[in-house]
């Protein structure tokens, strides 16, 4: 896929934009199930303004867990690699994510954004276990987009062969959606203004991992530390240009401009 708007994707329509709103941006991470109301409202304003202006029509939103999902996941010892077969634990994690999702949807809808939920627990699976890939059927997301709606997915529990239910992160969903939908652009909005170098300055552009491995504190060959280095690696592997930016970068990104760090 390319950034060329004239290119059509699998459903014959213009490729969508995939936007992740980080859990640390839209919630207060230290306080269980607490929204960062101002940050969430500002993000929803930016999305509504962009849609009203005709920018970013065909938009898929993904949000993270912040103080909703992570709080319950850690209470029950569940992570992307450690699963549970305890239905109460699954209900607690999924229920918290649905509550956060409902807040995001409500704020988008009250600004005129036709946002509808897509819950990954009901769709996705890791059929080969926690180490295997994510199978995320895209039929509902593609169809909702085609109907002029804005699908809003979220980090969630995911059925995992041999491990019960593990966590699927918003970042993993972004990669699956961007690849499967042939996204035009990908944006990751969080509390940091971009990918930072060793001196704490935003790196404006990354086109190969080796060039920034030292600054990110990761070796080129191995990256068990996860975090930003892993995120950069995954975004580099996408065909679409990806941007990592803070709250101030959201409006420019949705207008089609560069914001934060461009990873391509
Ligand atoms: O905040 C995790 O999503 P993330 C969601 O994108 C849960 O890592 C259920 C903890």
């Amino acid at each position: 896929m390319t950034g060329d708007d004239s290119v059509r994707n699998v459903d014959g329509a213009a490729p969508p934009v995939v936007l992740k709103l980080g859990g640390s941006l839209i919630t207060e991470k230290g306080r269980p199930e607490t929204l960062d109301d101002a940050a969430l409202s500002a993000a929803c304003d930016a999305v509504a303004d962009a849609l009203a202006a005709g920018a970013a029509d065909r938009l898929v939103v993904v949000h993270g867990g912040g103080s909703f999902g992570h709080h319950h996941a850690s209470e029950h010892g569940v992570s992307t690699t450690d699963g549970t077969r305890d239905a109460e634990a699954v209900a607690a994690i999924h229920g918290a994510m649905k509550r956060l999702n409902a807040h995001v949807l409500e704020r988008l809808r009250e600004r005129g954004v036709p946002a509808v939920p897509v819950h990954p627990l009901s769709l996705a699976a890791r059929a080969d276990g926690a180490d295997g890939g994510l199978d995320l059927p895209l039929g509902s997301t593609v169809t909702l987009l085609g109907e002029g709606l804005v699908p809003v997915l979220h980090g969630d529990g995911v059925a995992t062969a041999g491990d019960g239910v593990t966590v699927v992160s918003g970042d993993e969903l972004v990669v699956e959606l961007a690849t499967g939908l042939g996204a035009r652009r990908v944006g990751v909005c969080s509390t940091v203004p971009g990918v930072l170098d060793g001196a704490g300055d935003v790196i404006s552009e990354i086109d190969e991992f080796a060039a920034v491995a030292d600054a990110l504190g990761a070796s080129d060959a191995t990256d068990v530390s996860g975090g930003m280095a892993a995120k950069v690696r995954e975004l580099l592997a996408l065909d679409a240009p990806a941007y990592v930016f803070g709250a101030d970068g959201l409006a420019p990104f949705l207008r089609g401009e560069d914001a934060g760090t461009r990873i391509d």
Side-chain angles (χ1 to χ4, degrees):
M1 212 63 226
T2 78
D4 179 352
D5 278 3
S6 67
V7 175
R8 303 277 127 178
N9 71 359
V10 275
D11 66 339
V17 170
V18 175
L19 170 67
K20 163 140 191 245
L21 299 175
S24 59
L25 177 78
I26 61 173
T27 74
E28 286 191 23
K29 255 204 145 167
R31 299 168 63 189
E33 297 211 21
T34 307
L35 291 178
D36 184 331
D37 236 319
L40 176 57
S41 294
C44 293
D45 282 343
V47 171
D49 289 349
L51 291 187
D57 60 327
R58 293 179 62 83
L59 175 69
V60 180
V61 177
V62 178
H63 64 78
S67 62
F68 285 68
H70 288 285
H71 172 71
H72 292 278
S74 68
E75 204 167 274
H76 292 282
V78 181
S79 67
T80 53
T81 49
D82 292 316
T84 182
R85 293 188 185 84
D86 175 359
E88 296 297 336
V90 175
I93 298 164
H94 181 61
M97 288 310 302
K98 281 204 300 190
R99 285 192 287 283
L100 176 56
N101 185 246
H103 287 300
V104 175
L105 292 167
E106 188 184 336
R107 277 167 180 68
L108 287 170
R109 284 198 317 269
E110 64 194 19
R111 289 165 173 77
V113 177
V116 291
V118 175
H119 302 303
L121 177 63
S122 310
L123 284 181
R126 299 191 203 279
D128 297 322
D131 295 335
L134 180 70
D135 172 27
L136 178 68
L138 295 173
S140 74
T141 299
V142 169
T143 306
L144 291 168
L145 278 172
E147 295 301 309
L149 296 162
V150 174
V152 183
L153 294 87
H154 51 86
D156 203 352
V158 58
T160 302
D163 286 296
V165 170
T166 59
V167 165
V168 58
S169 73
D171 286 344
E172 203 176 346
L173 295 169
V174 164
V175 169
E176 283 297 308
L177 290 162
T179 308
L181 300 174
R184 177 161 42 116
R185 307 171 90 227
V186 174
V188 178
C189 183
S190 74
T191 49
V192 288
V195 181
L196 307 181
D197 64 17
D201 295 322
V202 174
I203 302 170
S204 59
E205 184 146 11
I206 299 174
D207 57 10
E208 58 164 340
F209 190 78
V212 293
D214 284 351
L216 298 181
S219 96
D220 189 24
T222 58
D223 177 18
V224 291
S225 60
M228 191 56 92
K231 191 178 290 193
V232 167
R233 236 185 233 287
E234 285 175 354
L235 295 177
L236 265 174
L238 297 178
D239 288 337
Y243 297 83
V244 174
F245 48 83
D248 291 348
L250 182 51
F253 168 77
L254 289 170
R255 282 197 299 267
E257 298 165 12
D258 283 353
T261 303
R262 178 185 165 108
I263 301 173
D264 198 1

